[in-house]
Amino acid sequence: MASSLPRIRARIRSIRSTGKLTKAMELIAGARSRRLERELRGEEEAVALYRKALVLLKEKAGEEEEAEREGGRLLLVAGPSLGLSGGYPSKAIEALRKEGEDATIMAFGTRLPPRIAEEGFPVLETPLEASPLEGEGAALIADALLSWFEEGKYSSIDFLYGNPVNSLIFNFKTARLLPLSDLGDEGLSWAKERPPLMDEDPKALLKALLPSYIASMVHYLARLSSLSENISRRRAMEEANDNVEELLDGLTLAYNKERQNAITQEITEVVSGSME
């Protein structure tokens, strides 16, 4: 019986080491989430300002009938580039089954594109291998999206993103990037009656502002997805830590039983030997 004690001790040491790693990863994911939450508040305000400016410019330029486009639909989705992201990839695939029908998928990150391809979705390569999480990368992606849209390659462009509900839960939502027909009025319904005065041509201003707006939306939605990914990773590490505790409790009990059995066996052998 005593021979099993070293094996149990080694197993306990191994699980404790794993627990230290999962706990560290949980803390890192939590720290990243809090940092992203702080930074995203400012980005959300910036995106809202862009949208309000576009609504005003559209009102000033006058409503125009959106021409029928023959191109297909492009759907962007941001995935993780790091491992141990919990249920994020699976939830993304599930959302794509609902939202990605008859769409070409442009996936970011290294973990999600192979799974999307396995599901049979047509996957578009990321233009210039740009990252939407970086300002310069988001600008390059925005230029490519606008070019494809203006050329008629795609009739609509959407972004499927991870939407944080709270510090433990996220879901997936779809945001329309192009065309701008779904902007809404952003609380600026008064502009229809009292459109603001402008020295410049509103159509020219609208065209000039559009790349910055698309880039800011791509960057913002990608970072929201990154926050959701860290929420998923944090939950996965919490569950792993719970499993570590359960395993350690079971192994400690087994170790104590084996140790007690070994002590009992030694006492029995000593007593038996003294009686001979």
Side-chain angles (χ1 to χ4, degrees), residues 6-175:
R7 177 179 57 81
I8 297 175
R9 279 198 299 266
R11 180 70 173 149
I12 288 173
R13 285 196 299 270
S14 174
I15 291 175
R16 281 178 177 164
S17 297
T18 301
K20 289 178 181 179
L21 289 174
T22 55
K23 188 64 179 177
M25 292 186 69
E26 178 190 344
L27 293 173
I28 291 170
R32 285 175 176 168
S33 296
R34 289 188 292 274
R35 176 176 58 80
L36 282 167
E37 284 173 354
R38 290 193 300 270
E39 294 174 355
L40 281 167
R41 292 190 195 105
E43 281 198 53
E44 185 178 9
E45 293 175 1
V47 168
L49 286 173
Y50 271 121
R51 291 176 68 87
K52 287 181 179 180
L54 288 173
V55 169
L56 287 172
L57 289 171
K58 281 189 69 180
E59 288 296 335
K60 186 66 177 177
E63 293 291 335
E64 288 189 3
E65 192 100 11
E66 188 73 36
E68 282 290 327
R69 295 176 177 269
E70 297 181 356
R73 178 178 176 234
L74 180 64
L75 184 61
L76 283 66
V77 58
S81 294
L82 301 174
L84 300 173
S85 53
Y88 185 95
S90 298
K91 281 191 173 184
I93 295 295
E94 183 180 345
L96 279 172
R97 292 195 188 107
K98 297 177 182 177
E99 301 288 343
E101 187 176 358
D102 300 327
T104 299
I105 311 301
M106 187 162 89
F108 302 99
T110 58
R111 303 279 175 166
L112 199 53
R115 292 193 59 175
I116 293 174
E118 287 174 6
E119 291 288 325
F121 291 102
V123 179
L124 180 73
E125 293 294 330
T126 305
L128 307 177
E129 298 181 353
S131 169
L133 293 171
E134 300 170 359
E136 185 177 347
L140 290 172
I141 292 167
D143 289 342
L145 296 180
L146 284 166
S147 175
W148 296 336
F149 183 74
E150 290 169 0
E151 291 169 3
K153 187 175 181 180
Y154 298 105
S155 59
S156 64
I157 300 176
D158 299 326
F159 201 125
L160 180 67
Y161 65 98
N163 176 54
V165 178
N166 55 43
S167 60
L168 296 174
I169 301 172
F170 71 96
N171 55 29
F172 277 88
K173 295 180 70 174
T174 303

Side-chain angles (χ1 to χ4, degrees), residues 235-252:
R235 285 195 63 183
M237 293 304 101
E238 284 180 350
E239 292 172 1
N241 288 329
D242 291 340
N243 291 335
V244 164
E245 292 298 326
E246 289 179 11
L247 286 171
L248 284 175
D249 288 343
L251 284 170
T252 301

Side-chain angles (χ1 to χ4, degrees), residues 247-267:
L247 286 171
L248 284 175
D249 288 343
L251 284 170
T252 301
L253 181 61
Y255 179 82
N256 289 335
K257 283 183 178 180
E258 289 290 334
R259 186 168 176 270
Q260 186 60 51
N261 288 338
I263 292 171
T264 302
Q265 181 68 27
E266 289 178 4
I267 292 173

